[in-house]
Amino acid sequence: MPYVTRGWRAGLTAAAAATLAVGVLTAAAAAQPSMGQLGTGQSGTARAGTARAGTARAGMARAGMARAGMARAGIADTHPGWATASARTSSQLVTSRTVSARVYLAGQDPAGLASYATSVATPGNALYGHYLTTGQVMARYGPTQAQVSAVSSWLTGAGLSVTAVKNEIGGYVAVRGSVQAAAHAFGVTFGTFRGPDGRADRAPEQTASAPAGVASAVLTVTGLDTASHDMTPADTASHDMTPADTLPPPGPNYWVAPPCSTYYGQKVAVGEPSAYGAKQPWTNCGYTPHQIRGAYHVSQSGMTGKGVTVAVVDAYASPTMLSDANQYAKITGDKPFAAGQYTQDLAASFTDTAANECDAPGWYGEQTLDVEAVHGMAPDANVVYVGAASCTDQDLGDALALIVDNHLASIVSDSWGEPADLSSELPVYEAIFQAGAAEGIGFFFSSGDSGYENPVEDPGSDMQQTDFPAESPYVTSVGGTSLAIGRHNNYEFETSWGSLLDPLAANHRSWRSTPPGQWPAGYDGSGGGGVSYDFAQPSYQQGVVPNSLATALPNGSTSPTPMRVEPDVSAVADASTGILVGETTLQPNGTTYAFSLSRTGGTSLSVQIFAGIEADAQQAAGHPLGFANPVIYARYGTSGFHDVTDHPLGSRKLAEVRSNYTDPDTKTGPLVTYLRTLGIDGEGTAALPAVKGYDDATGVGSPAWYIQSFQQY
């Protein structure tokens, strides 16, 4: 069945950009307004608990620093928090090599955009549902030609060359030049520091600045440091300039070992040791979409997502995505995509595909899961897959901006993120999310697979914190659960997703440790969540999120004001209660490729499940729901959601037994058996307990009669 692939529109050429580099803004500029607190219009994002100030050394040469009579203004988020004196690896200034940077444009009236995005999404507000067209958003809030000209003139005057210009939402002026020219343009000096990627990275030693007459046109600047700024799932390294790559073939399959069940509790591990006073059930082989639709009352609603378009955003593009999704649908008893129902919008070329960079084949399974899960929950919805050029903040941000600039969908589902303090484009993403909300586009992000991000549970994190973009107050963060579905596709119970493993002892008569096992050695992933350092509490969380939780910062201190807490909602994520998935993979013989079934999970699954259900809810409502959080929180405590706790069946602990192949890639080796205790989302200060009411493990809960609540809307 054919699908449509549209190449992304390229930015202006360097020659065309150069013709725009004329004129300078002459109006006196105050400091650039930053993101407002959702629902208040107040400026500023809280940065409590993070080190963002620049470091300085006495007697250091200040190349390009402000001279007398040349007023400058600082640019937000341009000094990396990791570039501290203790992380310095050399006392010498960096004065050679080149810089490739993007100066992102602030657009018109950033505070007004934030206010409109809030109003249009809030039931009861006079502007609720009065979405703007793409053209209206651009005309009211997008960057202007005057901003492009002023920024271009400033940068070229400092000795940098303009390489591309994008004059839309998420717009920028891209430049390239020597380190000396960049130091002069941005009023900084450059040093060498141990970066979050473990390398010796270049970074500015101060917050970058712009001439006062141009500063109001500048949102932020990226590319001044050389650290990796990549979204997971992949440990990667980025480069300033990389030629286009050819996408490599897919990797091996993860083969599910027997025994396993088709529904919760079908098979009990009677031959394995007891735990918590009883024999425990074997894990399931992988739920089908039909089972999950039943458990979350999607089937009962009669909704299928008809008339709604969902955009799925990832890096790269599996060459067999559509055929895999159609074969999977047939195997699981669902309808394949109809002609034209699935389309693609891909980057013109791909970069950083190697295993030590973004690991492109590692994204194929992600994409396949995402498309199949959305289609499984909303089989009649249109799906547009948007494939970014790489896994970097910059390229994935471009993919999101493409959707807003062309209104490709009303629901956008994203199963990737990174520790918040490693994000290089936080203000840019926020502007994109706000513009999307103004257009009636809702963004959904996975909350992460490492609980409260910290170095113990996620070696890629340098401190305890939440994930971005999931922590943004303008996106819906979807956390994870472990889900028990009964024989008749009925909902039995859920806990927060968080598993601790206890291996079978050598004598096969007991578990190696007293259940649940040892932490962190037995930690096997958990849903993300927690309290944000970066964003104040949005209005929709007021009165729902306990104040004691919203003020409890990740470092153990107390915030004077409530902060944004995530996730907002949750759905099945535990791979041992996860979904069946089908993908073309390398076979155990190491030479051939074929369609293969597996079982998978993570909040990559939960966000797609909820995005598909959101498409059904939009069909039920009869109009776009846009940014969903205000209507989600309005249903808190109703039959729309299951209130998920870690002890849904009383005080006893819940567990399953699972066996894995020693080598799951080739289905070989003796089976390795574990007890998996459920509902342990982190330990100690990293614990995210699921309790009655709102919690930072499962949010307001998982879908129950959520779709039906819109049929009575």
Side-chain angles (χ1 to χ4, degrees):
M1 198 170 294
Y3 60 85
V4 179
T5 302
R6 299 196 301 268
W8 284 11
R9 294 176 313 214
L12 295 178
T13 64
T19 66
L20 296 174
V22 292
V24 179
L25 288 176
T26 56
Q32 172 197 333
S34 57
M35 293 168 289
Q37 177 180 341
L38 191 60
T40 68
Q42 297 172 356
S43 64
T45 53
R47 288 287 181 179
T50 57
R52 298 279 176 165
T55 58
R57 285 178 287 167
M60 181 183 296
R62 299 299 185 191
M65 297 299 283
R67 298 179 180 89
M70 296 181 62
R72 299 179 70 90
I75 303 172
D77 289 321
T78 52
H79 179 263
W82 47 265
T84 62
S86 61
R88 193 181 302 280
T89 61
S90 172
S91 61
Q92 300 298 311
L93 293 178
V94 177
T95 58
S96 61
R97 307 196 73 172
T98 58
V99 171
S100 294
R102 280 187 181 182
V103 178
Y104 283 92
L105 302 169
Q108 310 162 70
D109 192 13
L113 174 58
S115 177
Y116 196 91
T118 301
S119 299
V120 78
T122 303
N125 190 290
L127 291 175
Y128 178 63
H130 290 269
Y131 303 123
L132 302 177
T133 66
T134 300
Q136 288 172 325
V137 169
M138 179 62 189
R140 292 189 190 185
Y141 305 114
T144 65
Q145 184 60 58
Q147 289 180 328
V148 171
S149 298
V151 170
S152 299
S153 180
W154 156 46
L155 297 170
T156 55
L160 297 169
S161 298
V162 174
T163 58
V165 171
K166 180 191 175 191
N167 192 5
E168 294 178 292
I169 298 299
Y172 56 82
V173 176
V175 292
R176 183 171 175 82
S178 68
V179 165
Q180 294 95 324
H184 177 62
F186 299 108
V188 297
T189 53
F190 290 98
T192 306
F193 304 86
R194 179 65 57 185
D197 49 17
R199 303 183 307 176
D201 288 312
R202 182 193 72 215
E205 297 182 318
Q206 305 85 16
T207 294
S209 62
V214 186
S216 64
V218 179
L219 181 60
T220 193
V221 180
T222 63
L224 298 182
D225 68 76
T226 58
S228 300
H229 294 290
D230 305 320
M231 300 287 188
T232 53
D235 288 329
T236 58
S238 64
H239 305 283
D240 286 342
M241 298 288 284
T242 308
D245 295 337
T246 300
L247 289 179
N253 192 45
Y254 184 96
W255 297 97
V256 176
C260 57
S261 302
T262 57
Y263 58 87
Y264 179 79
Q266 179 194 27
K267 297 179 181 179
V268 178
V270 294
E272 306 300 340
S274 297
Y276 309 120
K279 296 294 183 180
Q280 299 298 326
W282 287 104
T283 55
N284 70 291
C285 308
Y287 293 135
T288 65
H290 183 67
Q291 290 176 287
I292 298 174
R293 290 199 303 268
Y296 287 148
H297 298 150
V298 177
S299 300
Q300 296 91 320
S301 75
M303 297 294 103
T304 60
K306 188 174 180 62
V308 181
T309 300
V310 180
V312 173
V313 181
D314 284 308
Y316 312 115
S318 165
T320 58
M321 197 161 3
L322 178 61
S323 61
D324 288 344
N326 285 339
Q327 188 166 350
Y328 171 79
K330 292 176 182 177
I331 289 173
T332 57
D334 285 337
K335 298 185 300 182
F337 282 107
Q341 187 183 357
Y342 173 85
T343 59
Q344 290 189 171
D345 208 319
L346 307 182
S349 60
F350 300 111
T351 61
D352 296 329
T353 61
N356 67 336
E357 296 175 319
C358 289
D359 185 25
W363 284 81
Y364 297 168
E366 185 75 36
Q367 300 151 14
T368 303
L369 163 65
D370 294 356
V371 170
E372 291 175 356
V374 167
H375 184 57
M377 293 302 102
D380 288 327
N382 295 319
V383 174
V384 53
Y385 175 76
V386 181
S390 78
C391 69
T392 63
D393 292 2
Q394 177 175 293
D395 287 337
L396 284 163
D398 285 350
L400 299 178
L402 179 81
I403 296 169
V404 173
D405 288 334
N406 297 277
H407 202 95
L408 297 183
S410 58
I411 296 170
V412 185
S413 191
D414 309 86
S415 53
W416 39 268
E418 63 189 342
D421 73 326
L422 303 185
S423 175
S424 65
E425 297 192 3
L426 188 148
V428 181
Y429 277 70
E430 286 299 283
I432 293 169
F433 298 147
Q434 291 167 4
E439 290 184 28
I441 300 172
F443 289 88
F444 297 78
F445 276 86
S446 54
S447 66
D449 293 356
S450 301
Y452 221 148
E453 287 282 359
N454 68 64
V456 174
E457 295 179 0
D458 181 6
S461 183
D462 60 337
M463 58 185 257
Q464 188 157 299
Q465 59 187 305
T466 53
D467 272 354
F468 185 81
E471 68 165 4
S472 166
Y474 288 97
V475 309
T476 300
S477 171
V478 185
T481 69
S482 298
L483 172 65
I485 301 178
R487 180 196 300 265
H488 304 293
N489 302 336
N490 55 296
Y491 179 94
E492 293 201 349
F493 66 81
E494 276 176 294
T495 70
S496 69
W497 170 43
S499 302
L500 205 61
L501 307 187
D502 197 355
L504 190 64
N507 62 13
H508 286 210
R509 288 183 237 165
S510 64
W511 302 108
R512 187 178 300 173
S513 303
T514 301
Q518 301 295 314
W519 190 90
Y523 174 73
D524 195 43
S526 58
V531 182
S532 171
Y533 282 124
D534 300 305
F535 299 102
Q537 183 180 71
S539 57
Y540 54 77
Q541 288 196 319
Q542 295 170 7
V544 175
V545 179
N547 197 62
S548 58
L549 174 59
T551 57
L553 293 174
N555 61 5
S557 65
T558 300
S559 171
T561 57
M563 304 299 287
R564 159 74 161 142
V565 186
E566 60 149 326
D568 301 301
V569 293
S570 55
V572 59
D574 183 353
S576 288
T577 66
I579 197 170
L580 198 69
V581 67
E583 180 189 6
T584 297
T585 59
L586 179 66
Q587 297 302 289
N589 61 21
T591 58
T592 61
Y593 298 87
F595 180 84
S596 311
L597 293 174
S598 186
R599 174 187 60 207
T600 193
T603 54
S604 295
L605 169 61
S606 62
V607 70
Q608 307 302 338
I609 293 294
F610 198 88
I613 291 174
E614 186 73 6
D616 300 325
Q618 184 168 306
Q619 180 192 6
H623 58 80
L625 297 174
F627 171 48
N629 285 6
V631 296
I632 286 173
Y633 280 82
R635 286 158 173 75
Y636 168 71
T638 72
S639 62
F641 294 99
H642 301 108
D643 186 8
V644 180
T645 70
D646 286 333
H647 299 284
L649 304 183
S651 60
R652 69 182 176 93
K653 288 185 170 62
L654 296 167
E656 295 180 309
V657 180
R658 171 172 163 175
S659 288
N660 297 336
Y661 291 109
T662 303
D663 184 357
D665 292 352
T666 58
K667 292 196 289 189
T668 59
L671 296 182
V672 182
T673 302
Y674 299 88
L675 178 75
R676 298 175 58 89
T677 299
L678 309 180
I680 305 178
D681 192 340
E683 292 278 357
T685 61
L688 300 173
V691 298
K692 288 185 178 180
Y694 179 92
D695 55 69
D696 53 358
T698 63
V700 301
S702 68
W705 299 99
Y706 177 69
I707 298 169
Q708 287 81 348
S709 72
F710 291 95
Q711 291 174 311
Q712 306 164 8
Y713 197 68

